[in-house]
Amino acid sequence: MELQSFWKLCYTSIMTPSIIFEDNHLLVVIKPQGIPTQPDASGDADMLSILKSHRQASEEKPGEAFVGMIHRLDRVTGGVMVFAKTSKAASRLSAQLKDNQFTKRYLAIVTSTPKKNSETLIHYLLKNEKDNKVDIVGMAVAGAKRAELTYTINETRNNQALLEVDLLTGRSHQIRVQLNAIGCPIVGDRKYGRPQTAPTVPLALWAHQLSFIHPTTGDNMKFIVNPPEDGAWINFDFQRKSHKTR
């Protein structure tokens, strides 16, 4: 069945990786918070390795199966991601990402309400590899990368605000750094937010929506995955979008 668009959502708290769409070219998954996107120094299980193992087992592939990483999420961020199952799909999806045909929308709960209801934020970021932290610097600083996003206030409650964030560039820690720069750190952010945040409070940042063009069929693909119904998210009554397929 040819799909002109595809919407997918999950209502429950996600503790383990879940595949919500798969064909011969793509894997669309829900990344749990706490799992790295790719192998890192921790040696912990990561999404890329988990999906390679999935392909080996489900398709009985000898040797290492190909899985192409198109974009990343910070370890502490959960939500929807897409991976490629072929090099052609990986190349075409990466081109869409570069040409801004690849839409990523996030939900974030911040500890104070922004002064403007909606705004585009532009900063220049420089990553400190030693501390694994990103700083805002002048545009002329060597290695600085332009970072752009837009946010809209969805709801406010108890001095906190739920924001919808459209990411226009894909820089490391971008949303966390840029929102903190306007005095609105994300709930649970112990790296860029308030130091008194308890270690048990999870980061209230969730990759909510992903849209792109299927690399071989040309169909418009759209996936929506709701954040967990616990933690800071339960304080807001935003309408969780319903499943639609057309």
Side-chain angles (χ1 to χ4, degrees):
M1 176 180 178
E2 185 176 6
L3 299 179
Q4 294 303 312
S5 64
F6 189 99
W7 295 48
K8 187 71 178 182
L9 110 153
C10 180
Y11 286 100
T12 58
S13 178
I14 304 302
M15 301 304 295
T16 57
S18 298
I19 296 171
I20 57 175
F21 177 82
E22 181 176 7
D23 63 11
N24 291 332
H25 313 279
L26 304 175
L27 279 161
V28 181
V29 303
I30 304 171
K31 184 187 96 63
Q33 291 178 288
I35 294 182
T37 299
Q38 63 189 104
D40 62 15
S42 71
D44 294 340
D46 63 277
M47 293 300 300
L48 197 60
S49 300
I50 289 169
L51 294 177
K52 287 181 179 181
S53 295
H54 160 75
R55 287 203 67 189
Q56 286 178 303
S58 64
E59 301 173 30
E60 299 182 348
K61 283 185 171 292
E64 185 173 352
F66 176 84
V67 177
M69 186 171 63
I70 310 304
H71 60 120
R72 295 172 176 82
L73 289 179
D74 292 346
R75 182 180 184 130
V76 290
T77 305
V80 62
M81 297 186 72
V82 61
F83 291 82
K85 293 175 67 174
T86 66
S87 57
K88 178 185 289 187
S91 176
R92 291 180 177 177
L93 287 174
S94 295
Q96 288 183 44
L97 189 63
K98 183 178 179 181
D99 295 338
N100 295 322
Q101 296 178 304
F102 194 105
T103 301
K104 294 179 286 183
R105 174 168 290 177
Y106 294 72
L107 294 177
I109 300 173
V110 292
T111 59
S112 58
T113 302
K115 294 179 181 178
K116 298 181 179 180
N117 185 64
S118 182
E119 187 177 11
T120 297
L121 303 180
I122 299 174
H123 296 95
Y124 287 83
L125 307 183
L126 183 66
K127 187 169 185 179
N128 182 330
E129 297 289 349
K130 181 180 178 181
D131 297 333
N132 190 29
K133 197 169 183 179
V134 174
D135 298 313
I136 292 178
V137 298
M139 63 182 297
V141 173
K145 295 183 178 180
R146 187 177 186 275
E148 182 176 0
L149 62 78
T150 63
Y151 75 79
T152 301
I153 298 175
N154 183 301
E155 184 182 350
T156 60
R157 180 169 295 193
N158 298 328
N159 296 319
Q160 294 183 346
L162 174 67
L163 309 182
E164 290 187 0
V165 180
D166 288 320
L167 199 58
L168 304 179
T169 55
R171 309 304 182 197
S172 181
H173 301 182
Q174 178 180 339
I175 298 175
R176 299 162 68 187
V177 175
Q178 291 194 271
L179 291 179
N180 184 58
I182 62 169
C184 301
I186 298 174
V187 169
D189 194 343
R190 289 175 290 281
K191 185 181 289 285
Y192 299 101
R194 298 177 178 177
Q196 67 267 30
T197 299
T200 55
V201 177
L203 183 72
L205 177 63
W206 188 261
H208 178 234
Q209 182 174 308
L210 193 62
S211 302
F212 55 88
I213 300 169
H214 194 287
T216 59
T217 67
D219 292 336
N220 293 318
M221 310 294 288
K222 185 173 186 177
F223 298 89
I224 295 174
V225 172
N226 285 325
E229 294 188 23
D230 55 19
W233 304 105
I234 64 175
N235 297 323
F236 291 89
D237 296 326
F238 69 94
Q239 184 178 3
R240 290 173 178 256
K241 296 181 180 178
S242 60
H243 172 86
K244 295 182 182 179
T245 304
R246 178 169 62 84

